[in-house]
Each structure stands twice: as C-alpha cells, then as structure tokens.
Amino acid sequence: MKKTFLFYIKLWSILLYATGYSQDKADLKLWYSKPASVWNEALPLGNGRLGVMAFGDPVNEKLQLNESTFWSGGPSENNNPDGPLVIDSIQYYIFKGEYKRAEQLANKGLTAKKLHGSMYQSVGMLNINFEGNRDYTDYYRELDLQKAIFSTSFKVKGVQYKREVFTSLPDNVIVVKLTANKPGMLSFTANFDGELKNYSGTIDSNTLQMTGLSATHDGVTGKVKFDARAQIINKGGDTAIKDGKIKVTKADEVVILISIATNFTNYKTLDTDESKKSSTALQAAASKPYKKLLHEHITAYQKYFNRVQFNLGTSAAAKLPTDERIKNFAANYDPQLISLYYQFGRYLLISSSQPGGQPANLQGIWNGSTHPAWDSKYTININTEMNYWPAEKCNLSEMHDPLIELIKDLSVQGAETAKVMYKSGGWVAHHNTDIWRITGVVDFANAGQWPMGGAWLCQHLWEKYLYTGDVKYLESVYPVLKSACKFYQDFLIEEPTHKWLVVSPSMSPENIPNGHQGSAVTAGVTMDNQLLLDLFTKTIKSARILNTDTQLINELQSIIGRLPPMQIGRYGQLQEWLDDVDNPDDKHRHVSHLYGLYPGNQINPYTTPELFTAAKTVLIHRGDVSTGWSMGWKVNLWAHLLDGNHANKLIKDQLTLVDPVKPGEKGGTYPNMFDAHPPFQIDGNFGCTSGITEMIVQSQNGAISILPALPDEWHDGNISGIKTYGGFEISVEWKNNKVKQLIIKSTLGGNCRIRVPNEVMLNKKALQTATGTNPNTFFETVSIKEPLISPSANINNTELKKTYSYDIATQAGKTYTITIK
Ligand code: FUC
C-alpha cells in the first residue's frame, strides 16, 4: 500500500512524542494499518452470547459469527457403565505399581465408550462485498476497548468511508454502520454463508436469513438449530434481491442489524423457537435509532469496563500499530502494551461471559471453525478455571456467574457419573465438559482419568464468597460443595505404605511420572491432595457460616487428618507424585502441584518457607517458555514467589508475536492480541491478566499485599478498582517502587490488614502495626500438615524483602486514604 497522508501524520506524532506522557483513555485501542487477512488478525466483539470477528476488509468485508449455544450434538452424557466392573482391579494394580495394566483397564472400563465431548461451532459468515473499493488508501482499523467498538476507515477516489461494528449488550444484536462522506456512495452485496447451513437467502429485499443445524459428532445427532438474520436499513439508494443476496445501490448510509438465535433452552432442553427469538430481537432493535442502540451499548459495557483503570506509563513505542508493538515488545520499552493487554483481558471477559449465558470456553465465544481444536469446549483441569481467575479481582464479579451456574449443572450431571461409574454418592467431573455438561472420562485414560474437575471448579464457589461476603449466595452453592465432598468421602481409599487416604485412579494432569511404565494413571497425586484439603476446608467453613451440618464438619475434619502431606523430594522440589520420581529436566506445560501456590493458598513464604522454596525449584526446573496458558499461569506463580522481575520476563515471553498463518510450536500472542497456545486459546489472555493483578495486589496469606511482586521496570504507576477478599476495593499509586498513595474502600467493614513495601500513614497519623492472626475471617489461611522432606534435599530458604504490616479497623461504606510516611 502507498504511504499516505495518514501514515505521515502517524509518523509525525511518533517523532513528536515525549516520554512521561500518562496513559489516557484514548490509548485503549488495538489498531492496525492493514485489513485482517486471516482470522487471528481479525478483532473480536461480543455480548456474551453473540460473537463476531471483524476483518475490516474494504473490498470483502467479513464478519465471522458465533452464538454461544451453537454446539454439535444435543443433550447427552458419556458415563461408561463398566466402571464398577474394573474399578477395584485398577486400584489394585496401581498399588502394586502395575500402572500400565491399570491404565489399560481404565481405557476399557472408565473412558467414555463413544462421546468425547461436543464441539462449539461457528455459525458462519456475513459477507459484505464492495467491488468498487479496490483502490483504497489511508487505511485504518481499530478496536476501541473503552467503547467495545470496532471501526475501520479508508479512502476510495477521494471519498472517506467508515464502518463501525458493535455487539450490543442490552439489545442482543450485532450492529454495523456504514458511512461515506458523500451521499450515494455505498454500493455493495451482502449474503450469509456457513458450513452448517440448510438455507441461506432472503426474507425480503432488506432482510437476509440463514438457518442451519449443528453437526452430528461422536455418534450424537446434531440437534441445535440456528436462525441468523440481517436487516439492512438504508438511507437513500435502493435494495434488491439478486441470486439469494441483497444488493444495495447508491445508499448514503446503511445500518445492518444481525440477530442469531438457537433452539437451546438449557443443557437438557432444546425447545426455544429460534426463528421467533431471532426475529423478535431484530424487530426490537430495528425500532430504535442507531444512536440509541450505540448509547445503550456503551453505557451497559462501561458499567463493567470503567471499574478498573491501570497505568504503567508509556513510551514512544506506544504509537505504533499493535502488531508491531507485540513484535518489538521484548526489545522495546513499551509499558502501555501491558496495560492494554491487561484491559483487553477484561474486555474479553465482559464480552464472552455475561450473567444468564454460557461461560467462556477454550476460545471464549470466538471460533471460526466447525471442527475447532479440542472442540473449543471446556477443559477443566486448568483452562476453564484460568479463564475465571481475573473475574473477581478485576472487578467483574458478575462475569463469574456463568461459571457458577455451570458448576451447579455439573453437580447434577456429575451425580449420575458418580453413581454409574464409581457407585459413589455425591458428584464428580473429569477433565473436560461441554455445553451438555458431560462429566465422564474423555479422550483416553492418560489425559482424562482425573476425577477432580469438580473439586477444582468448586474452589470458585468459595472464592466468589470471599470477595463478595454474600451469605445468601453461599447458601445457594453450599449443597454443591457438600455433594462434591460426599463423592470423595465415598471414593477415597487407603494407600498401603503410609495409610493415607488418596484418590485412585487419578493423575497429575496430563503428566507422566518417571518409572511408571509410560502411564499417567496413579494414586494420591499432590494436586489432588491439595484440592481436597481446600475443598474440605472450604466446605467446613461454609457449614460453620451457615450454622449447619455439625456431624459433617467432624467427618471432613477427620478425613483432612488422613490426607497425604506435601513432600519435598531429593532435588529439593515439591513432589508432583506420591513417590519421589520428578525429573528435573521435565518441561511439561502443566504445573499442577503448584496449584498449592496459586491459585491455591497452601504454600507461602511466611508460614511454609521450605515448601515455598521447593515450589520455586519446580518452576525453575520447568523453565519459562511454554504454551500460552502455561506462561499465563507462571506469571501468577512468580508473582506469588514474590519475584516481579521473573513474572515480567514471563509477560515478555507471552507477548511474543506468533505468526497467524504458521504459528509454530511456541506459545505467544497473535497480531489481534489473542493468546496463542498455539492455536488460539483464550485462557492465556485471562491467566496473564490475573497474573498482572497478582503482581500489584494479592489478598492471600492473611493480608492484602500491595506491590508484592513489582518488577523494577514498573517503577511508577497506578491502578484503581481492584477487589480483594473481604470486599475491599483498592486503588494504589506508586513511585520509585514505593506506595505513594493507597485508597481502600471498605464494602463489608472489618479489619483491613495491609502488607506494604514502605512505611505508610493514615490521614498523616501513624497506623497500628499488625500483630497476631488477622481477625478478619475472610483472610483466614488454610492449615497444612508439616511437609515430609527427603534427606537428600538441600533447601536454602529465600530471603524476603522487608515489608510493613498494618491493621485498619474499617467500617462498611467508608474510604481510607493512606500515604507514604
Ligand atoms: C489441556 C492442555 C492442552 C490444551 C488443552 C485444551 O489438555 O494440556 O495444552 O490447552 O487442554
């Protein structure tokens, strides 16, 4: 493309650029100087249910469309009924050390006989072709995170064109606006297309329609029907039907409203009238002027988005197109890219997870394929949980709700799995689920034989309570927690050596221990023990808060006493398995046993220094560069190891540009800022957003830690609106790596214990130094057993930076301003 006026204006602004400029809202944009040629360059928009990838091509505009309930198959389950025939033998072989035999039997008797999960599928594409636009200049394309609007502009023969696209939160439609700065200049043809269509054509000369049916997959008949409509509202010009497409000629301005609905009602029922739902939404939106739709959309979106502001300063690098910034990131100082990436994570959560809808799957709601990688479903041995790590702390509590609802559904489906497969009470889920809430074992035993998916998800039920303090909510999820415990009460067995109670068969997600005959299937892995300690502890606490189930409390307490302790192996590493078989050269992407460090809270530098060091040893052995989500997790882990510089190094690894056409093997970031596993997986975006927060504010370990892992490079900055346990809202400004001002808004009252890197005061008066245990029970930590340490382990505990801890007795509704001493 020719170097145009706009290009020189941009270059000029780069040259004029002065450092020290502080980020303003206008900077929260992803922008590009060329159209997207492939999907991983297109930009995502969504309202939780409808997803769009906008390409911004002046000639062949493409809007790739998703609807969050459009999945292959239909209501289904995948429990292997042979479970009870094999389970005793599998457990027997595991304790005899015959892991391969155990795995083979699990493959036969526990892995699903046919259904390995359904696929999230693309609905198709709205194509808008402008044959007259071939010789365009002055191209510009952006996604404005402040307004959740995609726009593109360019010139053709002296005429300035602009397109805007947004996915309205309140009006349930996708809105496209096409304008030109001269009348009569908009001529184009529009049509729908999709692999799964039954029909694509017109309803009238202004309305396109496409209907279709989801695929049959793994022997389950596709039963989800969709109805997509696009209404073309033109000012000036004409519209006509031609070859099943709509041809618009010489319009002055055009608004296109797109509505998509399916027959999905809930995971058990498909009885919604998709055509009626689709046309009703379209009619309602069409009765409103564009300006009103736009205004309502921005208001609804900003209600969530504006809660957090984040500023690390900026540099000249920030004036380049986003893809170039990602490419240059490791070498160029570009702190604003971090805040942009951070806010993009929040944007993605708002756009892919709305109350009343489905939770964000492996790709959020954005999937261009009808056969996506890993079916774009829910992998619950890390990925789905990671999607929701930013939810509460980044002040997006409502966005957490679809996950909470999914967990409730799983507790129903999973009760059948517990009964059919294991003859146990309670509920269980394995390492994957989908829109139909399957809870059986998928793929093969070495990946799927992990009956802990429910136990991990349950941690989110409690976590939401810790942030909100909502007892009514806790009451509503308590039965799910209790029933999850019931499964393990029935299922745990005693292992022969130490007589500990363990989960068997299980695995440390998806890793294979040395000397186990190439089999992952085993018993009593570290992560399972950590998850159970948390699950039981949280259920006990819930029962106490709700004043119920005293006997259950005693039962769970006695099981806790018999769970295996954590163990430190011969290399000084936290053991991943019951036996000391870790390989220090193992670079596996999963770091499951570090659950105890993050998101769990069983390992910390203050009360468990040996385990803290052992966890660090694991992370050093594993190395940094890995799949996208693995690096996202490691940002959180290094933040909890209080090493901000290492966390920052991981952010740089994660913000490495990945070729959207030939992604290679390494994780990183696509030009559109989507995380590359590769392929695209949204967990890495969310994991890193969470990790950045954890570098600045943490609420585990008995206090709110401020700047616990601030990299040297982030010496000055501010963040506002971060939520912590106990319902506090934190805004902090720092200078030269020291807290300058800290504003704490208390929503629930109670003691607010802060841990800060420098001495601070409240209203110019001395603060009370913290002593003893934090009386605020939201900050209660979990007690763990003394770890067992191998005699060969050489542990040199990490020296900690000096911090200052204070207690502030807060009142609900009051704000406290703390400043540097
Ligand atoms: C887990 C991971 C893979 C991938 C898949 C969707 O199985 O081990 O890396 O992220 O989920």
Side-chain angles (χ1 to χ4, degrees), residues 362 374 379 381 383 431 510 589-590 627 629 677 681 683:
L362 280 173
W374 290 289
T379 309
N381 67 8
N383 317 76
H431 97 302
E510 301 173 30
R589 60 196 179 285
H590 285 264
T627 59
W629 64 258
H677 177 288
Q681 255 180 232
D683 38 26

Side-chain angles (χ1 to χ4, degrees), residues 200 212 238 308 310 322 550 669 760:
S200 172
D238 289 317
V308 172
F310 179 33
T322 307
T550 358
T669 299
V760 290

